[in-house]
């Protein structure tokens, strides 16, 4: 049986990504971060590890995370205050998600449970 152990996320600035994703997800560093790599884990010990890998491509990567919440509006506002931005998107009627971008321009979705 397989299970997801980590999501590897390509970023241009590892330290900025550590700051954003730690605050966004209530995660902490597993080991001290380097300029090229960092591993984040949930502060409470339960959940998937996120590995931040420095990349040199200016384009957004073909990956994204769906973040589930019981209060989408509150979480979107909190993430925007942390440095996320809204991604221009054509939403279908009655959709349950909002598309944002992290400070590196990587898209992710905030989904209403």
């Amino acid at each position: 049986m397989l299970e997801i152990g980590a999501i590897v996320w390509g970023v241009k600035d590892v330290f900025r990504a550590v700051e954003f994703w730690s605050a966004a997800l209530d995660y902490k560093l597993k080991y001290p971060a380097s300029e090229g790599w960092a591993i984040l884990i949930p502060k409470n010990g339960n959940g998937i590890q996120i590995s931040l890998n420095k990349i040199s491509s200016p384009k957004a990567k073909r990956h994204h995370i769906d973040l589930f919440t019981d209060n989408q509006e509150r979480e979107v506002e909190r993430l925007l205050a942390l440095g996320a931005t809204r991604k221009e998107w054509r939403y279908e009627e009655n959709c349950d998600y909002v598309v944002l971008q992290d400070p590196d321009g990587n898209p992710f979705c905030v989904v209403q449970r």
Side-chain angles (χ1 to χ4, degrees), residues 63-103:
H63 62 236
H64 76 273
I65 297 173
D66 286 345
L67 304 174
F68 288 70
T69 180
D70 293 323
N71 190 329
Q72 182 185 59
E73 184 177 341
R74 181 183 67 214
E75 288 300 327
V76 166
E77 292 307 313
R78 186 179 72 83
L79 293 164
L80 291 171
L82 290 172
T85 56
R86 291 185 184 270
K87 180 167 177 59
E88 192 171 315
W89 197 261
R90 288 183 28 199
Y91 293 97
E92 63 268 8
E93 190 173 335
N94 298 318
C95 70
D96 63 351
Y97 63 92
V98 173
V99 183
L100 300 178
Q101 292 175 293
D102 72 7

Side-chain angles (χ1 to χ4, degrees), residues 97-112:
Y97 63 92
V98 173
V99 183
L100 300 178
Q101 292 175 293
D102 72 7
D104 272 310
N106 295 308
F108 63 97
C109 296
V110 181
V111 181
Q112 178 65 42

